[in-house]
Amino acid sequence: MPKRKMNNEILGILYMVIAQFSFATNDALVKYIYQSFDELAVLNQIIFLRGICCLIFIGIFLSIKNQFNLRIIFSSNKLTLRGILEALAAVGFFIGVAKLPFAMVYILLSLAPIIMTTFGALFLNEKVKWKRWSAVLIGFTGVVIVINPAELKFGYYFIFPLLSAIFLSIRDLVTKNIKTEHNSLQIAFITCLVVTIFFGVLSIYKFYSFNLEQSIILIISAFFLSFGYIFSVLTIKAALVSVTSTFRYTAILWGILYGYFFFNETPEYNTYLGAVMIVISGLIIIMRQKQLGKFNNENWV
């Protein structure tokens, strides 16, 4: 392998790890603010205000790159639909973040590529052979182990991150292979805009006052979210998705670490076992996707 290509792949992997760390940090800060109120409705206002800050950060970055073109950004109905599905996924995800152990949310969300494979077979007539079906079975078994239906220690809140994974899979199905002149950061901008408007409407339900500390944390959260988007784009520029995609699972590691050190959450053995099964399942599917050449860098954000 040429040295330059190897260096780019290492850089792409590093960017992916930084992106996942940034997203996880943003989510942890949202959970921290939520715990000060312990009301689900406050999530609407948190995500709305965070979204405004994030749009400013991304907008500045796009302007610096001379890519802030509103006509282009708002020219695709499919990208607007993508944003709506992302918003629905965010509802499930943040309810999970609020009510479940931090690591568990990331583990259950990791079911997305497994659901995507299932949907592809059922709705797009994609040919899925026994190896990928075996991976799907392993993944769903892992979910059952994580949930532990015999105890249901956290009630039925596990449904919400699973719904989030389903909406993310539908998002990727309906926007698969979009032919667009948008770059990845412009896609991130319009997605963030739709999500912000969505939660802005929901936040009308009830208004909350944030103190100075909470306001600063919210701004920092938006910074890390923007950082995550930017490094996701840098990942795409540096290396092929087929090289970096497996490192998305580092989000589970960050979830475990944040849960343990900041929220006093210690995952039980069934959580670790289920997580390993889901990751193995996802890796099998990713390896198969590599073989089939079904990765598209331009639509990965």
Side-chain angles (χ1 to χ4, degrees), residues 128-141 281 284:
V128 178
K129 296 186 178 180
W130 68 269
K131 284 186 179 180
R132 278 198 288 170
W133 278 125
S134 298
V136 168
L137 181 60
I138 292 170
F140 282 119
T141 302
S281 171
I284 292 172

Side-chain angles (χ1 to χ4, degrees), residues 17-192:
V17 173
I18 294 173
Q20 297 309 308
F21 167 76
S22 299
F23 287 134
T25 302
N26 153 69
D27 298 334
L29 292 173
V30 169
K31 185 179 179 77
Y32 179 82
I33 298 173
Y34 161 80
Q35 288 185 332
S36 300
F37 296 87
D38 199 25
E39 292 184 44
L40 283 175
V42 75
L43 290 171
N44 298 325
Q45 191 169 321
I46 292 171
I47 299 167
F48 170 61
L49 295 176
R50 183 202 65 173
I52 291 174
C53 295
C54 185
L55 287 169
I56 293 171
F57 291 145
I58 296 177
I60 291 171
F61 192 82
L62 283 171
S63 297
I64 293 171
K65 303 277 287 183
N66 293 317
Q67 295 172 345
F68 191 74
N69 187 322
L70 290 177
R71 183 186 62 80
I72 293 176
I73 288 174
F74 291 104
S75 63
S76 173
N77 291 331
K78 277 196 172 183
L79 290 183
T80 302
L81 176 59
R82 185 184 196 277
I84 293 171
L85 291 167
E86 184 97 17
L88 293 173
V91 172
F93 175 78
F94 282 107
I95 291 176
V97 165
K99 294 296 185 180
L100 295 172
F102 204 59
M104 183 182 288
V105 179
Y106 285 103
I107 292 167
L108 295 178
L109 197 68
S110 296
L111 194 66
I114 301 165
I115 294 173
M116 184 72 172
T117 297
T118 306
F119 282 2
L122 295 177
F123 303 116
L124 298 181
N125 296 317
E126 291 185 357
K127 292 182 179 179
V128 178
K129 296 186 178 180
W130 68 269
K131 284 186 179 180
R132 278 198 288 170
W133 278 125
S134 298
V136 168
L137 181 60
I138 292 170
F140 282 119
T141 302
V143 169
V144 173
I145 291 173
V146 170
I147 293 169
N148 193 5
E151 291 187 11
L152 283 180
K153 188 175 179 181
F154 300 98
Y156 290 93
Y157 283 108
F158 71 86
I159 291 172
F160 290 99
L162 291 179
L163 285 174
S164 180
I166 290 171
F167 279 120
L168 289 176
S169 300
I170 296 172
R171 177 202 70 182
D172 291 339
L173 279 176
V174 300
T175 58
K176 194 173 184 180
N177 299 322
I178 290 179
K179 301 301 181 184
T180 177
E181 56 186 328
H182 297 75
N183 65 42
S184 297
L185 202 57
Q186 288 172 331
I187 293 173
F189 182 88
I190 191 169
T191 299
C192 184

